[in-house]
Amino acid sequence: MTAANAGEWALVRDHLHDLVQGGLTPLSGGRLLRASSERLGDPAALRELVRWAAMLETWIPTDVTPTSFCEDQLLQQARVLLAGTWPPRDG
C-alpha cells in the first residue's frame, strides 16, 4: 500500500466514523466517501456503500425508494466497514 493510499484509507475511516456518529449527514458523508473511493480506484470493499451514496445523491421525488431507506443502508454499510479489518480487504 502506498503512503497516498494509506492516507486516503485513513480519511475514509474518519468519514465513516463521522457519518455513524452524526457529524456528517448521509448525503454529505456519501459524497465524501464516493470521492475517496474514486481516488482509491473503486475498491470492491466500498462498492456497496458507494452504491447507496449514489442512490441518495441522485434521488428525485418520484423515486420509489425513500431517502430514509438509502440513508439507513448507507449507515449500515458504514458500521459494517468500521467493525471489520482495516483497511477493508477486497474479495
Side-chain angles (χ1 to χ4, degrees):
M1 176 182 305
T2 68
N5 279 358
E8 195 65 46
W9 277 113
L11 189 58
V12 167
R13 187 174 179 93
D14 289 346
H15 291 329
L16 291 170
H17 185 265
D18 289 345
L19 179 63
V20 168
Q21 296 299 315
L24 287 172
T25 66
L27 182 61
S28 62
R31 285 179 178 152
L32 292 169
L33 290 162
R34 284 180 69 197
S36 285
S37 179
E38 287 178 20
R39 287 189 292 272
L40 288 167
D42 188 33
L46 298 179
R47 285 190 192 135
E48 187 69 13
L49 182 133
V50 166
R51 184 174 75 88
W52 288 110
M55 285 181 67
L56 183 59
E57 190 169 353
T58 60
W59 186 88
I60 57 174
T62 57
D63 281 349
V64 174
T65 305
T67 57
S68 60
F69 184 79
C70 296
E71 291 169 345
D72 290 344
Q73 295 302 309
L74 184 64
L75 289 168
Q76 182 178 339
Q77 287 299 311
R79 288 184 191 103
V80 166
L81 286 167
L82 286 170
T85 60
W86 202 260
R89 293 188 182 114
D90 281 349

